[in-house]
Amino acid sequence: MRKVLLAVLVCLFVAGGAFASDDVIKIGVYLPLTGQNAFGGQLELEGVELAHKEFPEVLGRKVELVVVDNKSDRVEAANAVTRLIERDNVNAIIGTYGSSLAMAGGEVAERAGIPVMGTSCTNPLVTLDKKYYFRACFIDPFQGAGAATYAVKNLGATKAAVLTDIANDYSVGLSSFFKQAFVKLGGEIVSEMRYQSGDQDFTAQLTEIISKGPDIVFLPAYFAEGAIVLKQARELGATFPFMGGDAMDNPAIVELGGEAVEGFMHTTFAYDPSMPDMNPVAQRFTELWRAAFPDKDPNVNAALGYDSYILILDAIQRAGSAEPEKIRDALAATKDVPTVTGMTTLNEHGDAEKELGIVKILEGKKQFIGLVQPEV
């Protein structure tokens, strides 16, 4: 089965066409390579570049990547997309890590009629009322409901607290969807505490949460801040478990959080190098990654970067053209494409329909502990 799927991918991306081999197709990439979200953007870029190295052409034409740093800033994200379209004349775009950045860039791409494949931008507003924005990831209502389902059904939680970054669209959205699902499943939200991106002291919020005695705390943070929260919680004597979202999926979390992250859980996509049963594309990606980066484990952000490139090339191949409008139409018809994070189908909103996984830190290592199906 593995050989068959890999053969399909190879046939898709190296098949010849009517174009000269020196006729270049440009794919823009806008990601946060500096600033607050650089850790995620750099991993996704490495995934994109890994896929490009493996599949450097389509329709007999060379594919050129044009990479722009959106600097973890909304205005810069919009400027980056403008540059890719107006100066670099790209045929399609990949990006970005960070839902708020994707929303800013998406407005520009929509007006220009250039298709974009989002990497890990999970807020539902990214593709809402958008004709040209798609994404390789699931969305936060699905992820939040999955986290709540796992907390209630697998962990037996009846009382939950939530700690939310109110300056971050991803955190606010995911927090809201978790709370809605947890209550629908019969649970009670006993504490809702807030902070803002860049905060370093969470003592007041954590002290209040501890006083409420929750069974679990939902922390939809990015991994760097999340690690600080976990360390301070343990220093204050908190013993209840914490659960986060896909933005906590980073190989550096154990290094940053140390013993404080032991037992931490988070939702993620159906890929992790610790998975016992990888699909064939995931196996291939993992092999390529370990050869390219022997001192660094792959993670889901890199996998989604890889997948985003595959999905665009698949659309170009099916369209038989690199014209933006035809790529858009082919993306809208994407169904059952084998990718690292599972078979990918894009629904009527441009969102990927994918399985939801759970990862847990055990003995200082990330362990993929299974899939969860949201019940609400």
Side-chain angles (χ1 to χ4, degrees):
M1 182 65 176
R2 179 187 182 196
K3 291 182 178 179
V4 171
L5 279 178
L6 289 176
V8 169
L9 285 176
V10 171
C11 288
L12 278 174
F13 302 143
V14 301
F19 300 92
S21 60
D22 59 351
D23 190 3
V24 173
I25 296 172
K26 290 186 177 182
I27 296 179
V29 182
Y30 82 116
L31 289 167
L33 304 179
T34 57
Q36 180 188 12
N37 297 325
F39 50 85
Q42 289 166 356
L43 283 165
E44 290 183 353
L45 178 59
E46 287 166 348
V48 172
E49 291 175 336
L50 201 63
H52 178 248
K53 184 177 180 180
E54 187 175 21
F55 305 115
E57 62 180 61
V58 63
L59 299 177
R61 303 168 65 180
K62 177 183 176 182
V63 176
E64 177 185 339
L65 294 181
V66 183
V67 180
V68 179
D69 179 10
N70 65 40
K71 303 178 183 178
S72 304
D73 180 84
R74 291 179 177 88
V75 174
E76 289 293 342
N79 291 340
V81 174
T82 299
R83 169 186 160 178
L84 288 170
I85 294 170
E86 296 183 357
R87 193 184 83 173
D88 298 309
N89 298 311
V90 298
N91 303 84
I93 297 172
I94 293 172
T96 175
Y97 184 97
S99 292
S100 59
L101 305 176
M103 291 179 208
E107 294 294 337
V108 177
E110 191 73 12
R111 291 193 296 269
I114 299 297
V116 185
M117 178 56 64
T119 45
S120 60
C121 38
T122 53
N123 190 297
L125 295 178
V126 170
T127 57
L128 183 66
D129 298 326
K130 296 291 191 300
K131 180 181 177 182
Y132 291 88
Y133 220 110
F134 304 84
R135 51 181 144 198
C137 56
F138 50 54
I139 60 175
D140 286 334
F142 179 76
Q143 180 175 199
T149 298
Y150 191 83
V152 172
K153 301 297 183 180
N154 294 75
L155 304 178
T158 60
K159 298 186 296 181
V162 179
L163 181 55
T164 307
D165 179 355
I166 59 171
N168 185 283
D169 293 322
Y170 164 83
S171 184
V172 171
L174 187 52
S175 174
S176 175
F177 297 123
F178 172 84
K179 290 185 293 184
Q180 292 172 24
F182 192 80
V183 171
K184 284 184 179 180
L185 288 165
E188 177 188 2
I189 304 297
V190 297
S191 179
E192 298 182 47
M193 301 305 294
R194 300 168 177 83
Y195 70 94
Q196 293 200 37
S197 303
D199 287 353
Q200 297 292 307
D201 185 357
F202 305 93
T203 303
Q205 296 95 323
L206 290 169
T207 299
E208 173 64 17
I209 288 172
I210 290 170
S211 74
K212 300 299 182 180
D215 299 317
I216 194 166
V217 175
F218 188 63
L219 177 66
Y222 287 103
F223 86 100
E225 285 178 340
I228 297 173
V229 171
L230 291 169
K231 290 180 75 172
Q232 292 182 11
R234 300 312 178 209
E235 289 169 357
L236 289 169
T239 57
F240 42 70
F242 279 76
M243 175 179 282
D246 62 299
M248 293 291 277
D249 194 326
N250 191 290
I253 187 171
V254 174
E255 178 182 345
L256 286 176
E259 293 182 358
V261 304
E262 185 69 19
F264 173 73
M265 295 163 285
H266 64 79
T267 48
T268 188
F269 297 82
Y271 172 76
D272 189 84
S274 67
M275 288 179 72
D277 299 306
M278 288 189 192
N279 71 59
V281 183
Q283 290 179 31
R284 176 62 175 162
F285 165 77
T286 304
E287 291 168 358
L288 291 169
W289 181 275
R290 294 204 185 285
F293 306 102
D295 299 323
K296 181 168 64 174
D297 284 337
N299 90 317
V300 75
N301 295 111
L304 287 169
Y306 187 98
D307 286 353
S308 296
Y309 182 88
I310 283 179
L311 289 168
I312 286 184
L313 257 66
D314 170 70
I316 293 172
Q317 178 64 37
R318 285 185 288 107
S321 170
E323 294 180 20
E325 191 68 24
K326 292 183 178 179
I327 297 174
R328 192 226 76 88
D329 292 345
L331 283 171
T334 297
K335 183 177 177 60
D336 293 335
V337 175
T339 64
V340 178
T341 53
M343 284 295 202
T344 298
T345 294
L346 301 183
N347 63 26
E348 67 273 20
H349 305 294
D351 305 324
E353 296 180 347
K354 298 197 166 182
E355 293 180 311
L356 179 68
I358 300 289
V359 165
K360 187 174 185 178
I361 308 298
L362 294 169
E363 297 181 354
K365 295 182 180 180
K366 288 199 311 169
Q367 295 293 323
F368 190 89
I369 59 176
L371 300 172
V372 58
Q373 181 59 47
E375 293 192 11
V376 291

